[in-house]
PDB file of all heavy atoms in Angstrom:
ATOM      1  N   TYR R 128      15.492   4.907 -61.077  1.00  0.00           N
ATOM      2  CA  TYR R 128      15.089   5.251 -62.437  1.00  0.00           C
ATOM      3  C   TYR R 128      16.302   5.610 -63.305  1.00  0.00           C
ATOM      4  O   TYR R 128      16.325   5.326 -64.506  1.00  0.00           O
ATOM      5  CB  TYR R 128      14.088   6.404 -62.430  1.00  0.00           C
ATOM      6  CG  TYR R 128      12.643   5.970 -62.251  1.00  0.00           C
ATOM      7  CD1 TYR R 128      11.914   6.364 -61.148  1.00  0.00           C
ATOM      8  CD2 TYR R 128      12.014   5.181 -63.206  1.00  0.00           C
ATOM      9  CE1 TYR R 128      10.593   5.979 -60.987  1.00  0.00           C
ATOM     10  CE2 TYR R 128      10.687   4.787 -63.056  1.00  0.00           C
ATOM     11  CZ  TYR R 128       9.978   5.185 -61.946  1.00  0.00           C
ATOM     12  OH  TYR R 128       8.676   4.793 -61.795  1.00  0.00           O
ATOM     13  N   GLU R 129      17.307   6.247 -62.708  1.00  0.00           N
ATOM     14  CA  GLU R 129      18.527   6.566 -63.454  1.00  0.00           C
ATOM     15  C   GLU R 129      19.203   5.294 -63.965  1.00  0.00           C
ATOM     16  O   GLU R 129      19.656   5.217 -65.107  1.00  0.00           O
ATOM     17  CB  GLU R 129      19.499   7.347 -62.570  1.00  0.00           C
ATOM     18  CG  GLU R 129      19.063   8.769 -62.275  1.00  0.00           C
ATOM     19  CD  GLU R 129      19.995   9.444 -61.297  1.00  0.00           C
ATOM     20  OE1 GLU R 129      21.213   9.154 -61.347  1.00  0.00           O
ATOM     21  OE2 GLU R 129      19.537  10.253 -60.483  1.00  0.00           O
ATOM     22  N   ASP R 130      19.283   4.292 -63.104  1.00  0.00           N
ATOM     23  CA  ASP R 130      19.880   3.023 -63.509  1.00  0.00           C
ATOM     24  C   ASP R 130      19.040   2.327 -64.581  1.00  0.00           C
ATOM     25  O   ASP R 130      19.576   1.672 -65.478  1.00  0.00           O
ATOM     26  CB  ASP R 130      20.045   2.097 -62.304  1.00  0.00           C
ATOM     27  CG  ASP R 130      21.268   2.442 -61.473  1.00  0.00           C
ATOM     28  OD1 ASP R 130      22.090   3.267 -61.927  1.00  0.00           O
ATOM     29  OD2 ASP R 130      21.410   1.899 -60.359  1.00  0.00           O
ATOM     30  N   LYS R 131      17.737   2.466 -64.482  1.00  0.00           N
ATOM     31  CA  LYS R 131      16.860   1.889 -65.503  1.00  0.00           C
ATOM     32  C   LYS R 131      17.154   2.513 -66.871  1.00  0.00           C
ATOM     33  O   LYS R 131      17.333   1.796 -67.868  1.00  0.00           O
ATOM     34  CB  LYS R 131      15.397   2.097 -65.113  1.00  0.00           C
ATOM     35  CG  LYS R 131      14.408   1.574 -66.141  1.00  0.00           C
ATOM     36  CD  LYS R 131      12.972   1.809 -65.684  1.00  0.00           C
ATOM     37  CE  LYS R 131      11.974   1.319 -66.732  1.00  0.00           C
ATOM     38  NZ  LYS R 131      10.568   1.479 -66.266  1.00  0.00           N
ATOM     39  N   ILE R 132      17.200   3.825 -66.919  1.00  0.00           N
ATOM     40  CA  ILE R 132      17.493   4.526 -68.169  1.00  0.00           C
ATOM     41  C   ILE R 132      18.920   4.238 -68.624  1.00  0.00           C
ATOM     42  O   ILE R 132      19.208   4.145 -69.825  1.00  0.00           O
ATOM     43  CB  ILE R 132      17.269   6.044 -68.012  1.00  0.00           C
ATOM     44  CG1 ILE R 132      15.809   6.338 -67.673  1.00  0.00           C
ATOM     45  CG2 ILE R 132      17.679   6.790 -69.271  1.00  0.00           C
ATOM     46  CD1 ILE R 132      14.814   5.846 -68.701  1.00  0.00           C
ATOM     47  N   GLY R 133      19.836   4.047 -67.681  1.00  0.00           N
ATOM     48  CA  GLY R 133      21.227   3.739 -67.998  1.00  0.00           C
ATOM     49  C   GLY R 133      21.466   2.276 -68.343  1.00  0.00           C
ATOM     50  O   GLY R 133      22.613   1.874 -68.560  1.00  0.00           O
ATOM     51  N   ARG R 134      20.386   1.485 -68.364  1.00  0.00           N
ATOM     52  CA  ARG R 134      20.421   0.076 -68.753  1.00  0.00           C
ATOM     53  C   ARG R 134      21.312  -0.781 -67.856  1.00  0.00           C
ATOM     54  O   ARG R 134      21.974  -1.713 -68.319  1.00  0.00           O
ATOM     55  CB  ARG R 134      20.845  -0.061 -70.224  1.00  0.00           C
ATOM     56  CG  ARG R 134      19.854   0.550 -71.190  1.00  0.00           C
ATOM     57  CD  ARG R 134      20.426   0.730 -72.567  1.00  0.00           C
ATOM     58  NE  ARG R 134      21.490   1.729 -72.567  1.00  0.00           N
ATOM     59  CZ  ARG R 134      22.066   2.235 -73.631  1.00  0.00           C
ATOM     60  NH1 ARG R 134      21.692   1.853 -74.814  1.00  0.00           N
ATOM     61  NH2 ARG R 134      23.037   3.119 -73.549  1.00  0.00           N
ATOM     62  N   ARG R 135      21.318  -0.459 -66.584  1.00  0.00           N
ATOM     63  CA  ARG R 135      22.115  -1.242 -65.648  1.00  0.00           C
ATOM     64  C   ARG R 135      21.305  -1.712 -64.433  1.00  0.00           C
ATOM     65  O   ARG R 135      21.894  -2.232 -63.478  1.00  0.00           O
ATOM     66  CB  ARG R 135      23.335  -0.430 -65.181  1.00  0.00           C
ATOM     67  CG  ARG R 135      23.064   0.888 -64.642  1.00  0.00           C
ATOM     68  CD  ARG R 135      24.282   1.672 -64.216  1.00  0.00           C
ATOM     69  NE  ARG R 135      23.830   3.007 -63.815  1.00  0.00           N
ATOM     70  CZ  ARG R 135      23.898   4.082 -64.596  1.00  0.00           C
ATOM     71  NH1 ARG R 135      24.389   3.997 -65.824  1.00  0.00           N
ATOM     72  NH2 ARG R 135      23.442   5.250 -64.169  1.00  0.00           N
ATOM     73  N   SER R 136      19.991  -1.533 -64.437  1.00  0.00           N
ATOM     74  CA  SER R 136      19.198  -1.874 -63.265  1.00  0.00           C
ATOM     75  C   SER R 136      19.034  -3.386 -63.115  1.00  0.00           C
ATOM     76  O   SER R 136      19.138  -4.150 -64.089  1.00  0.00           O
ATOM     77  CB  SER R 136      17.827  -1.201 -63.320  1.00  0.00           C
ATOM     78  OG  SER R 136      17.050  -1.705 -64.365  1.00  0.00           O
ATOM     79  N   ILE R 137      18.784  -3.797 -61.887  1.00  0.00           N
ATOM     80  CA  ILE R 137      18.396  -5.174 -61.586  1.00  0.00           C
ATOM     81  C   ILE R 137      16.881  -5.238 -61.671  1.00  0.00           C
ATOM     82  O   ILE R 137      16.186  -4.451 -61.014  1.00  0.00           O
ATOM     83  CB  ILE R 137      18.857  -5.605 -60.178  1.00  0.00           C
ATOM     84  CG1 ILE R 137      20.350  -5.343 -59.987  1.00  0.00           C
ATOM     85  CG2 ILE R 137      18.511  -7.078 -59.932  1.00  0.00           C
ATOM     86  CD1 ILE R 137      21.251  -6.154 -60.834  1.00  0.00           C
ATOM     87  N   ARG R 138      16.360  -6.164 -62.482  1.00  0.00           N
ATOM     88  CA  ARG R 138      14.917  -6.279 -62.633  1.00  0.00           C
ATOM     89  C   ARG R 138      14.412  -7.531 -61.923  1.00  0.00           C
ATOM     90  O   ARG R 138      15.191  -8.413 -61.581  1.00  0.00           O
ATOM     91  CB  ARG R 138      14.524  -6.286 -64.102  1.00  0.00           C
ATOM     92  CG  ARG R 138      14.951  -5.009 -64.829  1.00  0.00           C
ATOM     93  CD  ARG R 138      14.287  -4.851 -66.175  1.00  0.00           C
ATOM     94  NE  ARG R 138      14.719  -5.827 -67.152  1.00  0.00           N
ATOM     95  CZ  ARG R 138      14.187  -5.937 -68.374  1.00  0.00           C
ATOM     96  NH1 ARG R 138      13.219  -5.128 -68.756  1.00  0.00           N
ATOM     97  NH2 ARG R 138      14.644  -6.856 -69.207  1.00  0.00           N
ATOM     98  N   VAL R 139      13.118  -7.596 -61.727  1.00  0.00           N
ATOM     99  CA  VAL R 139      12.525  -8.730 -61.018  1.00  0.00           C
ATOM    100  C   VAL R 139      12.959 -10.044 -61.657  1.00  0.00           C
ATOM    101  O   VAL R 139      13.337 -11.002 -60.968  1.00  0.00           O
ATOM    102  CB  VAL R 139      10.983  -8.609 -60.996  1.00  0.00           C
ATOM    103  CG1 VAL R 139      10.355  -9.895 -60.453  1.00  0.00           C
ATOM    104  CG2 VAL R 139      10.547  -7.407 -60.153  1.00  0.00           C
ATOM    105  N   MET R 140      12.935 -10.124 -62.965  1.00  0.00           N
ATOM    106  CA  MET R 140      13.282 -11.360 -63.675  1.00  0.00           C
ATOM    107  C   MET R 140      14.703 -11.822 -63.405  1.00  0.00           C
ATOM    108  O   MET R 140      15.010 -13.015 -63.501  1.00  0.00           O
ATOM    109  CB  MET R 140      13.084 -11.177 -65.174  1.00  0.00           C
ATOM    110  CG  MET R 140      14.042 -10.163 -65.806  1.00  0.00           C
ATOM    111  SD  MET R 140      13.743  -9.924 -67.582  1.00  0.00           S
ATOM    112  CE  MET R 140      12.225  -9.009 -67.571  1.00  0.00           C
ATOM    113  N   ASP R 141      15.599 -10.874 -63.044  1.00  0.00           N
ATOM    114  CA  ASP R 141      16.994 -11.219 -62.793  1.00  0.00           C
ATOM    115  C   ASP R 141      17.164 -12.076 -61.542  1.00  0.00           C
ATOM    116  O   ASP R 141      18.205 -12.715 -61.368  1.00  0.00           O
ATOM    117  CB  ASP R 141      17.844  -9.955 -62.673  1.00  0.00           C
ATOM    118  CG  ASP R 141      17.908  -9.172 -63.977  1.00  0.00           C
ATOM    119  OD1 ASP R 141      17.938  -9.811 -65.048  1.00  0.00           O
ATOM    120  OD2 ASP R 141      17.920  -7.926 -63.930  1.00  0.00           O
ATOM    121  N   LEU R 142      16.175 -12.095 -60.684  1.00  0.00           N
ATOM    122  CA  LEU R 142      16.244 -12.907 -59.468  1.00  0.00           C
ATOM    123  C   LEU R 142      16.074 -14.394 -59.759  1.00  0.00           C
ATOM    124  O   LEU R 142      16.336 -15.232 -58.893  1.00  0.00           O
ATOM    125  CB  LEU R 142      15.176 -12.454 -58.461  1.00  0.00           C
ATOM    126  CG  LEU R 142      15.247 -10.996 -57.980  1.00  0.00           C
ATOM    127  CD1 LEU R 142      14.087 -10.703 -57.031  1.00  0.00           C
ATOM    128  CD2 LEU R 142      16.571 -10.702 -57.309  1.00  0.00           C
ATOM    129  N   ARG R 143      15.633 -14.731 -60.970  1.00  0.00           N
ATOM    130  CA  ARG R 143      15.412 -16.142 -61.311  1.00  0.00           C
ATOM    131  C   ARG R 143      16.712 -16.889 -61.594  1.00  0.00           C
ATOM    132  O   ARG R 143      16.763 -18.110 -61.464  1.00  0.00           O
ATOM    133  CB  ARG R 143      14.512 -16.239 -62.550  1.00  0.00           C
ATOM    134  CG  ARG R 143      13.096 -15.795 -62.363  1.00  0.00           C
ATOM    135  CD  ARG R 143      12.224 -16.268 -63.512  1.00  0.00           C
ATOM    136  NE  ARG R 143      10.834 -15.861 -63.322  1.00  0.00           N
ATOM    137  CZ  ARG R 143      10.204 -14.999 -64.083  1.00  0.00           C
ATOM    138  NH1 ARG R 143      10.832 -14.449 -65.098  1.00  0.00           N
ATOM    139  NH2 ARG R 143       8.946 -14.674 -63.851  1.00  0.00           N
ATOM    140  N   SER R 144      17.768 -16.170 -62.006  1.00  0.00           N
ATOM    141  CA  SER R 144      19.015 -16.802 -62.423  1.00  0.00           C
ATOM    142  C   SER R 144      20.188 -16.249 -61.631  1.00  0.00           C
ATOM    143  O   SER R 144      20.474 -15.048 -61.699  1.00  0.00           O
ATOM    144  CB  SER R 144      19.247 -16.567 -63.923  1.00  0.00           C
ATOM    145  OG  SER R 144      20.564 -16.876 -64.299  1.00  0.00           O
ATOM    146  N   GLU R 145      20.879 -17.119 -60.899  1.00  0.00           N
ATOM    147  CA  GLU R 145      22.023 -16.668 -60.119  1.00  0.00           C
ATOM    148  C   GLU R 145      23.137 -16.151 -61.028  1.00  0.00           C
ATOM    149  O   GLU R 145      23.808 -15.169 -60.719  1.00  0.00           O
ATOM    150  CB  GLU R 145      22.542 -17.819 -59.247  1.00  0.00           C
ATOM    151  CG  GLU R 145      23.615 -17.391 -58.272  1.00  0.00           C
ATOM    152  CD  GLU R 145      23.981 -18.471 -57.271  1.00  0.00           C
ATOM    153  OE1 GLU R 145      23.210 -19.437 -57.101  1.00  0.00           O
ATOM    154  OE2 GLU R 145      25.061 -18.335 -56.660  1.00  0.00           O
ATOM    155  N   THR R 146      23.317 -16.810 -62.170  1.00  0.00           N
ATOM    156  CA  THR R 146      24.340 -16.390 -63.117  1.00  0.00           C
ATOM    157  C   THR R 146      24.031 -15.002 -63.676  1.00  0.00           C
ATOM    158  O   THR R 146      24.902 -14.129 -63.739  1.00  0.00           O
ATOM    159  CB  THR R 146      24.454 -17.393 -64.268  1.00  0.00           C
ATOM    160  OG1 THR R 146      24.769 -18.682 -63.751  1.00  0.00           O
ATOM    161  CG2 THR R 146      25.541 -16.965 -65.253  1.00  0.00           C
ATOM    162  N   ASN R 147      22.769 -14.818 -64.080  1.00  0.00           N
ATOM    163  CA  ASN R 147      22.370 -13.516 -64.619  1.00  0.00           C
ATOM    164  C   ASN R 147      22.462 -12.429 -63.560  1.00  0.00           C
ATOM    165  O   ASN R 147      22.890 -11.305 -63.841  1.00  0.00           O
ATOM    166  CB  ASN R 147      20.943 -13.592 -65.166  1.00  0.00           C
ATOM    167  CG  ASN R 147      20.563 -12.350 -65.944  1.00  0.00           C
ATOM    168  OD1 ASN R 147      21.299 -11.905 -66.820  1.00  0.00           O
ATOM    169  ND2 ASN R 147      19.418 -11.775 -65.611  1.00  0.00           N
ATOM    170  N   LEU R 148      22.083 -12.771 -62.333  1.00  0.00           N
ATOM    171  CA  LEU R 148      22.156 -11.815 -61.231  1.00  0.00           C
ATOM    172  C   LEU R 148      23.599 -11.382 -60.993  1.00  0.00           C
ATOM    173  O   LEU R 148      23.886 -10.208 -60.751  1.00  0.00           O
ATOM    174  CB  LEU R 148      21.550 -12.408 -59.965  1.00  0.00           C
ATOM    175  CG  LEU R 148      21.467 -11.478 -58.740  1.00  0.00           C
ATOM    176  CD1 LEU R 148      20.646 -10.228 -59.044  1.00  0.00           C
ATOM    177  CD2 LEU R 148      20.870 -12.220 -57.542  1.00  0.00           C
ATOM    178  N   ASP R 149      24.519 -12.342 -61.085  1.00  0.00           N
ATOM    179  CA  ASP R 149      25.946 -12.027 -60.954  1.00  0.00           C
ATOM    180  C   ASP R 149      26.371 -10.966 -61.968  1.00  0.00           C
ATOM    181  O   ASP R 149      27.014  -9.972 -61.627  1.00  0.00           O
ATOM    182  CB  ASP R 149      26.781 -13.297 -61.176  1.00  0.00           C
ATOM    183  CG  ASP R 149      27.190 -13.979 -59.878  1.00  0.00           C
ATOM    184  OD1 ASP R 149      27.366 -13.270 -58.881  1.00  0.00           O
ATOM    185  OD2 ASP R 149      27.333 -15.210 -59.878  1.00  0.00           O
ATOM    186  N   ASN R 150      26.015 -11.201 -63.203  1.00  0.00           N
ATOM    187  CA  ASN R 150      26.406 -10.290 -64.285  1.00  0.00           C
ATOM    188  C   ASN R 150      25.775  -8.910 -64.122  1.00  0.00           C
ATOM    189  O   ASN R 150      26.436  -7.885 -64.337  1.00  0.00           O
ATOM    190  CB  ASN R 150      26.008 -10.882 -65.635  1.00  0.00           C
ATOM    191  CG  ASN R 150      26.783 -12.139 -65.973  1.00  0.00           C
ATOM    192  OD1 ASN R 150      27.916 -12.315 -65.530  1.00  0.00           O
ATOM    193  ND2 ASN R 150      26.177 -13.032 -66.756  1.00  0.00           N
ATOM    194  N   ARG R 151      24.513  -8.889 -63.749  1.00  0.00           N
ATOM    195  CA  ARG R 151      23.822  -7.629 -63.587  1.00  0.00           C
ATOM    196  C   ARG R 151      24.389  -6.830 -62.406  1.00  0.00           C
ATOM    197  O   ARG R 151      24.510  -5.606 -62.469  1.00  0.00           O
ATOM    198  CB  ARG R 151      22.322  -7.862 -63.379  1.00  0.00           C
ATOM    199  CG  ARG R 151      21.609  -8.585 -64.527  1.00  0.00           C
ATOM    200  CD  ARG R 151      21.786  -7.874 -65.863  1.00  0.00           C
ATOM    201  NE  ARG R 151      21.282  -6.512 -65.801  1.00  0.00           N
ATOM    202  CZ  ARG R 151      21.668  -5.568 -66.637  1.00  0.00           C
ATOM    203  NH1 ARG R 151      22.589  -5.831 -67.562  1.00  0.00           N
ATOM    204  NH2 ARG R 151      21.160  -4.363 -66.535  1.00  0.00           N
ATOM    205  N   LEU R 152      24.730  -7.522 -61.332  1.00  0.00           N
ATOM    206  CA  LEU R 152      25.312  -6.843 -60.168  1.00  0.00           C
ATOM    207  C   LEU R 152      26.689  -6.271 -60.500  1.00  0.00           C
ATOM    208  O   LEU R 152      27.041  -5.174 -60.057  1.00  0.00           O
ATOM    209  CB  LEU R 152      25.405  -7.804 -58.983  1.00  0.00           C
ATOM    210  CG  LEU R 152      24.089  -8.066 -58.230  1.00  0.00           C
ATOM    211  CD1 LEU R 152      24.264  -9.197 -57.234  1.00  0.00           C
ATOM    212  CD2 LEU R 152      23.594  -6.810 -57.512  1.00  0.00           C
ATOM    213  N   ASP R 153      27.476  -7.024 -61.271  1.00  0.00           N
ATOM    214  CA  ASP R 153      28.784  -6.507 -61.702  1.00  0.00           C
ATOM    215  C   ASP R 153      28.604  -5.181 -62.432  1.00  0.00           C
ATOM    216  O   ASP R 153      29.353  -4.211 -62.200  1.00  0.00           O
ATOM    217  CB  ASP R 153      29.479  -7.509 -62.632  1.00  0.00           C
ATOM    218  CG  ASP R 153      30.093  -8.685 -61.884  1.00  0.00           C
ATOM    219  OD1 ASP R 153      30.362  -8.550 -60.674  1.00  0.00           O
ATOM    220  OD2 ASP R 153      30.284  -9.750 -62.519  1.00  0.00           O
ATOM    221  N   ASN R 154      27.623  -5.129 -63.288  1.00  0.00           N
ATOM    222  CA  ASN R 154      27.392  -3.951 -64.122  1.00  0.00           C
ATOM    223  C   ASN R 154      26.959  -2.744 -63.286  1.00  0.00           C
ATOM    224  O   ASN R 154      27.509  -1.649 -63.426  1.00  0.00           O
ATOM    225  CB  ASN R 154      26.322  -4.276 -65.167  1.00  0.00           C
ATOM    226  CG  ASN R 154      26.190  -3.186 -66.221  1.00  0.00           C
ATOM    227  OD1 ASN R 154      27.167  -2.581 -66.634  1.00  0.00           O
ATOM    228  ND2 ASN R 154      24.968  -2.945 -66.663  1.00  0.00           N
ATOM    229  N   VAL R 155      25.977  -2.944 -62.418  1.00  0.00           N
ATOM    230  CA  VAL R 155      25.447  -1.812 -61.658  1.00  0.00           C
ATOM    231  C   VAL R 155      26.425  -1.343 -60.579  1.00  0.00           C
ATOM    232  O   VAL R 155      26.546  -0.145 -60.313  1.00  0.00           O
ATOM    233  CB  VAL R 155      24.057  -2.151 -61.056  1.00  0.00           C
ATOM    234  CG1 VAL R 155      24.166  -3.133 -59.894  1.00  0.00           C
ATOM    235  CG2 VAL R 155      23.332  -0.889 -60.618  1.00  0.00           C
ATOM    236  N   LEU R 156      27.171  -2.285 -59.964  1.00  0.00           N
ATOM    237  CA  LEU R 156      28.118  -1.897 -58.922  1.00  0.00           C
ATOM    238  C   LEU R 156      29.356  -1.220 -59.494  1.00  0.00           C
ATOM    239  O   LEU R 156      29.980  -0.393 -58.816  1.00  0.00           O
ATOM    240  CB  LEU R 156      28.514  -3.118 -58.087  1.00  0.00           C
ATOM    241  CG  LEU R 156      27.407  -3.647 -57.161  1.00  0.00           C
ATOM    242  CD1 LEU R 156      27.876  -4.908 -56.441  1.00  0.00           C
ATOM    243  CD2 LEU R 156      26.997  -2.586 -56.132  1.00  0.00           C
ATOM    244  N   LEU R 157      29.721  -1.546 -60.732  1.00  0.00           N
ATOM    245  CA  LEU R 157      30.825  -0.845 -61.387  1.00  0.00           C
ATOM    246  C   LEU R 157      30.538   0.651 -61.425  1.00  0.00           C
ATOM    247  O   LEU R 157      31.420   1.480 -61.177  1.00  0.00           O
ATOM    248  CB  LEU R 157      31.020  -1.393 -62.802  1.00  0.00           C
ATOM    249  CG  LEU R 157      32.120  -0.716 -63.657  1.00  0.00           C
ATOM    250  CD1 LEU R 157      33.504  -0.986 -63.063  1.00  0.00           C
ATOM    251  CD2 LEU R 157      32.037  -1.210 -65.102  1.00  0.00           C
ATOM    252  N   HIS R 158      29.309   0.997 -61.721  1.00  0.00           N
ATOM    253  CA  HIS R 158      28.889   2.398 -61.788  1.00  0.00           C
ATOM    254  C   HIS R 158      28.814   3.024 -60.396  1.00  0.00           C
ATOM    255  O   HIS R 158      29.422   4.073 -60.144  1.00  0.00           O
ATOM    256  CB  HIS R 158      27.523   2.480 -62.477  1.00  0.00           C
ATOM    257  CG  HIS R 158      26.913   3.839 -62.463  1.00  0.00           C
ATOM    258  ND1 HIS R 158      27.256   4.829 -63.362  1.00  0.00           N
ATOM    259  CD2 HIS R 158      25.970   4.382 -61.641  1.00  0.00           C
ATOM    260  CE1 HIS R 158      26.562   5.918 -63.101  1.00  0.00           C
ATOM    261  NE2 HIS R 158      25.763   5.671 -62.067  1.00  0.00           N
ATOM    262  N   HIS R 159      28.082   2.389 -59.499  1.00  0.00           N
ATOM    263  CA  HIS R 159      27.820   2.998 -58.201  1.00  0.00           C
ATOM    264  C   HIS R 159      29.047   3.042 -57.299  1.00  0.00           C
ATOM    265  O   HIS R 159      29.275   4.034 -56.595  1.00  0.00           O
ATOM    266  CB  HIS R 159      26.667   2.267 -57.501  1.00  0.00           C
ATOM    267  CG  HIS R 159      25.329   2.702 -57.976  1.00  0.00           C
ATOM    268  ND1 HIS R 159      24.654   3.787 -57.447  1.00  0.00           N
ATOM    269  CD2 HIS R 159      24.529   2.220 -58.955  1.00  0.00           C
ATOM    270  CE1 HIS R 159      23.504   3.949 -58.076  1.00  0.00           C
ATOM    271  NE2 HIS R 159      23.404   3.001 -58.988  1.00  0.00           N
ATOM    272  N   ASN R 160      29.850   2.005 -57.313  1.00  0.00           N
ATOM    273  CA  ASN R 160      31.030   2.008 -56.460  1.00  0.00           C
ATOM    274  C   ASN R 160      32.057   3.029 -56.912  1.00  0.00           C
ATOM    275  O   ASN R 160      32.799   3.582 -56.090  1.00  0.00           O
ATOM    276  CB  ASN R 160      31.642   0.610 -56.390  1.00  0.00           C
ATOM    277  CG  ASN R 160      30.899  -0.290 -55.406  1.00  0.00           C
ATOM    278  OD1 ASN R 160      30.191   0.187 -54.521  1.00  0.00           O
ATOM    279  ND2 ASN R 160      31.076  -1.599 -55.556  1.00  0.00           N
ATOM    280  N   ALA R 161      32.111   3.307 -58.202  1.00  0.00           N
ATOM    281  CA  ALA R 161      33.012   4.358 -58.698  1.00  0.00           C
ATOM    282  C   ALA R 161      32.605   5.714 -58.118  1.00  0.00           C
ATOM    283  O   ALA R 161      33.464   6.504 -57.692  1.00  0.00           O
ATOM    284  CB  ALA R 161      32.988   4.389 -60.224  1.00  0.00           C
ATOM    285  N   ILE R 162      31.327   5.982 -58.114  1.00  0.00           N
ATOM    286  CA  ILE R 162      30.818   7.230 -57.544  1.00  0.00           C
ATOM    287  C   ILE R 162      31.067   7.265 -56.041  1.00  0.00           C
ATOM    288  O   ILE R 162      31.498   8.289 -55.486  1.00  0.00           O
ATOM    289  CB  ILE R 162      29.317   7.391 -57.844  1.00  0.00           C
ATOM    290  CG1 ILE R 162      29.097   7.519 -59.355  1.00  0.00           C
ATOM    291  CG2 ILE R 162      28.748   8.607 -57.116  1.00  0.00           C
ATOM    292  CD1 ILE R 162      27.633   7.510 -59.762  1.00  0.00           C
ATOM    293  N   ARG R 163      30.826   6.143 -55.378  1.00  0.00           N
ATOM    294  CA  ARG R 163      30.981   6.089 -53.928  1.00  0.00           C
ATOM    295  C   ARG R 163      32.443   6.281 -53.515  1.00  0.00           C
ATOM    296  O   ARG R 163      32.730   6.900 -52.491  1.00  0.00           O
ATOM    297  CB  ARG R 163      30.420   4.773 -53.400  1.00  0.00           C
ATOM    298  CG  ARG R 163      28.913   4.622 -53.638  1.00  0.00           C
ATOM    299  CD  ARG R 163      28.390   3.302 -53.073  1.00  0.00           C
ATOM    300  NE  ARG R 163      28.380   3.314 -51.624  1.00  0.00           N
ATOM    301  CZ  ARG R 163      27.387   3.797 -50.887  1.00  0.00           C
ATOM    302  NH1 ARG R 163      26.313   4.292 -51.467  1.00  0.00           N
ATOM    303  NH2 ARG R 163      27.461   3.782 -49.569  1.00  0.00           N
TER     304      ARG R 163
END
């Protein structure tokens, strides 16, 4: 839910496009890997 509010979550629709999935993963992992 935090990622959803932070506008970085992966949504069901993102699974339809490999290109879009790439971009979305870059965004969410930038946040989470920094914390990790």
Side-chain angles (χ1 to χ4, degrees):
Y128 274 117
E129 289 175 34
D130 280 350
K131 178 180 178 177
I132 298 301
R134 296 165 293 189
R135 53 181 175 261
S136 67
I137 308 294
R138 300 194 292 175
V139 171
M140 66 182 72
D141 295 324
L142 300 178
R143 292 195 179 113
S144 166
E145 187 171 343
T146 301
N147 190 50
L148 184 59
D149 263 329
N150 294 332
R151 300 304 301 158
L152 282 171
D153 283 338
N154 190 37
V155 72
L156 289 177
L157 178 66
H158 173 81
H159 279 274
N160 280 340
I162 296 173
R163 297 181 71 86

